[in-house]
């Protein structure tokens, strides 16, 4: 019996037994034929196929078998239906390029989500905790493809979220710069950084990335830059920006007002004192009662 003499259609069949039986045939071409057919019907007949998933695993583990990736894909789909998501991801990684992350299906969405969660966990251990771990390049490839999918679908906020959680600052920058509304996405990233990133070193790294992007805008956003510098505890940098803006246009003077209010509202007293000293403002001995008494004299 050869593959050329066999024809199966998923439409109208009531059992996968016939296809499954081909896995026991000695001819390699029949095993490959069976795997291709099983891949087409696995979502319907996964319960039957699960009884022989060990045979499919053996084919994947055989390095001389030319369709190892196909074996892994079928096994992954079976384990997905069994609710064994770690095993599903394990074999999905083995499927390599056969796993199409751009395909819209519950299986793909589940496996990709599992991959991203595992990648984030490993990246946090690597970047935050300094653990000596090596991230599986196949796992990283799935996440890279997911980033590209976000870019292609213009889902830049989703890309920013994944980038921040996985400490992929390069992808954070790419997502923001590819957006058609860079200022809005910068503000979105800043909000996430200040509310969800608990580790100071990580938050500061993100803020430094955002400051660089704010600086490189066609019209630098000094207001948000200074907000970042407040959290980074860099009063002298705020002093330098205020000194530059004070001698500028009317719009820049209005920006100085805004920055001063932000400093008063967000910064510590020590930070405010440093800014006032840097600007050469003498503090009044009496206690101030309104927010413009400390910094507004520079205007």
């Amino acid at each position: 019996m050869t593959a050329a003499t066999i024809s199966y259609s998923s439409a109208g069949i009531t059992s996968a037994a016939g296809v499954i039986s081909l896995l026991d045939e000695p001819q390699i071409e029949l095993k490959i034929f069976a795997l291709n057919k099983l891949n087409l019907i696995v979502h319907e007949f996964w319960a039957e196929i699960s009884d022989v998933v060990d045979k499919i695993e053996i084919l994947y583990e055989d390095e001389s078998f030319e369709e190892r990736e196909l074996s892994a894909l079928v096994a992954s789909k079976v384990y997905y239906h069994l609710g064994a998501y770690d095993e599903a991801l394990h074999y999905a990684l083995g499927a390599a390029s056969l796993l199409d992350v751009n395909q819209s299906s519950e299986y793909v969405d589940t496996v990709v989500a599992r991959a991203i969660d595992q990648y984030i966990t490993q990246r946090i251990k690597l970047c935050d905790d300094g653990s000596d771990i090596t991230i599986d390049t196949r796992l990283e490839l799935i996440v890279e493809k997911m980033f590209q999918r976000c870019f292609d679908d213009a889902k830049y906020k989703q890309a920013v979220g994944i980038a921040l959680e996985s400490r992929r600052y390069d992808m954070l920058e790419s997502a923001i710069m590819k957006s058609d509304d860079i200022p809005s996405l910068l503000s979105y990233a800043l909000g996430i950084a200040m509310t969800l990133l608990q580790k100071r070193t990580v938050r500061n790294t993100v803020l430094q990335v955002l400051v660089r992007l704010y600086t490189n805008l066609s019209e630098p956003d000094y207001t948000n830059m200074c907000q970042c510098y407040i959290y980074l505890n860099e009063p002298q940098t705020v002093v330098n920006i205020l000194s530059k803006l004070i001698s500028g246009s009317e719009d820049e003077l209005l920006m100085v007002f805004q920055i001063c209010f932000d400093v008063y509202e967000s910064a510590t007293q020590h930070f405010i004192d440093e800014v006032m000293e840097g600007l050469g403002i003498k503090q009044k001995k009496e206690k101030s009662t309104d927010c413009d008494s400390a910094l507004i004299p520079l205007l």
Side-chain angles (χ1 to χ4, degrees):
M1 181 165 34
T2 66
T5 64
I6 304 173
S7 176
Y8 284 97
S9 171
S10 59
I13 68 172
T14 58
S15 173
V19 181
I20 290 173
S21 67
L22 297 178
L23 294 174
D24 295 322
E25 294 291 334
Q27 297 99 321
I28 297 299
E29 63 175 354
L30 287 178
K31 296 180 186 294
I32 294 174
F33 178 84
L35 287 172
N36 276 298
K37 293 302 179 182
L38 290 175
N39 187 47
L40 295 176
I41 64 176
V42 63
H43 293 305
E44 185 176 358
F45 297 102
W46 61 269
E48 281 186 79
I49 301 171
S50 68
D51 291 335
V52 295
V53 70
D54 56 328
K55 295 180 181 180
I56 299 172
E57 291 175 5
I58 290 173
L59 292 175
Y60 168 67
E61 292 165 3
D62 182 358
E63 295 187 1
S64 66
F65 185 59
E66 60 186 88
E67 291 291 347
R68 294 182 65 227
E69 293 180 357
L70 178 58
S71 302
L73 183 61
V74 175
S76 174
K77 291 178 179 179
V78 171
Y79 279 118
Y80 158 73
H81 284 289
L82 290 171
Y85 299 127
D86 287 339
E87 287 81 0
L89 175 58
H90 170 73
Y91 285 104
L93 294 178
S97 61
L98 292 185
L99 178 67
D100 183 5
V101 301
N102 293 314
Q103 186 182 60
S104 180
S105 72
E106 289 186 14
Y107 162 72
V108 171
D109 291 345
T110 300
V111 169
V112 169
R114 200 79 174 183
I116 292 173
D117 287 344
Q118 190 173 118
Y119 182 70
I120 289 172
T121 298
Q122 293 184 14
R123 285 285 299 177
I124 288 175
K125 289 180 179 178
L126 180 67
C127 301
D128 295 15
D129 305 332
S131 300
D132 185 17
I133 63 173
T134 301
I135 297 177
D136 192 325
T137 54
R138 299 172 303 172
L139 183 65
E140 195 157 35
L141 181 60
I142 288 180
V143 177
E144 295 279 353
K145 288 180 178 179
M146 191 59 195
F147 274 121
Q148 189 57 54
R149 176 179 171 181
C150 289
F151 297 155
D152 293 342
D153 295 343
K155 295 181 178 179
Y156 300 110
K157 287 186 176 181
Q158 183 178 357
V160 165
I162 297 172
L164 288 173
E165 287 192 89
S166 63
R167 304 342 185 205
R168 285 295 302 271
Y169 307 120
D170 56 331
M171 286 300 177
L172 169 64
E173 185 168 347
S174 294
I176 292 173
M177 297 309 297
K178 289 178 183 292
S179 168
D180 54 3
D181 189 355
I182 294 176
S184 176
L185 205 58
L186 277 168
S187 296
Y188 176 75
L190 178 58
I192 292 180
M194 297 314 305
T195 56
L196 299 181
L197 298 181
Q198 302 301 317
K199 196 173 182 68
R200 178 182 292 273
T201 54
V202 173
R203 185 169 63 246
N204 286 354
T205 300
V206 172
L207 291 176
Q208 288 164 355
V209 171
L210 297 181
V211 163
R212 185 173 71 255
L213 296 179
Y214 277 125
T215 304
N216 292 335
L217 292 175
S218 56
E219 295 184 7
D221 187 341
Y222 292 110
T223 302
N224 278 316
M225 283 169 59
C226 287
Q227 192 69 251
C228 291
Y229 286 128
I230 290 171
Y231 293 119
L232 288 168
N233 194 31
E234 295 186 22
Q236 186 55 51
T237 309
V238 174
V239 169
N240 295 340
I241 291 174
L242 288 173
S243 299
K244 175 183 177 181
L245 295 176
I246 288 172
S247 57
S249 65
E250 182 176 343
D251 287 341
E252 288 175 327
L253 285 175
L254 292 175
M255 197 177 298
V256 170
F257 273 107
Q258 183 61 57
I259 293 171
C260 289
F261 282 120
D262 288 343
V263 170
Y264 179 83
E265 291 291 334
S266 306
T268 63
Q269 186 59 50
H270 177 72
F271 190 100
I272 294 174
D273 292 343
E274 290 288 317
V275 171
M276 293 179 66
E277 182 178 344
L279 293 170
I281 301 173
K282 293 182 179 180
Q283 298 186 57
K284 297 180 180 180
K285 292 184 179 181
E286 60 272 17
K287 188 175 181 179
S288 300
T289 57
D290 52 32
C291 65
D292 58 355
S293 60
L295 289 171
I296 303 307
L298 67 88
L299 300 177

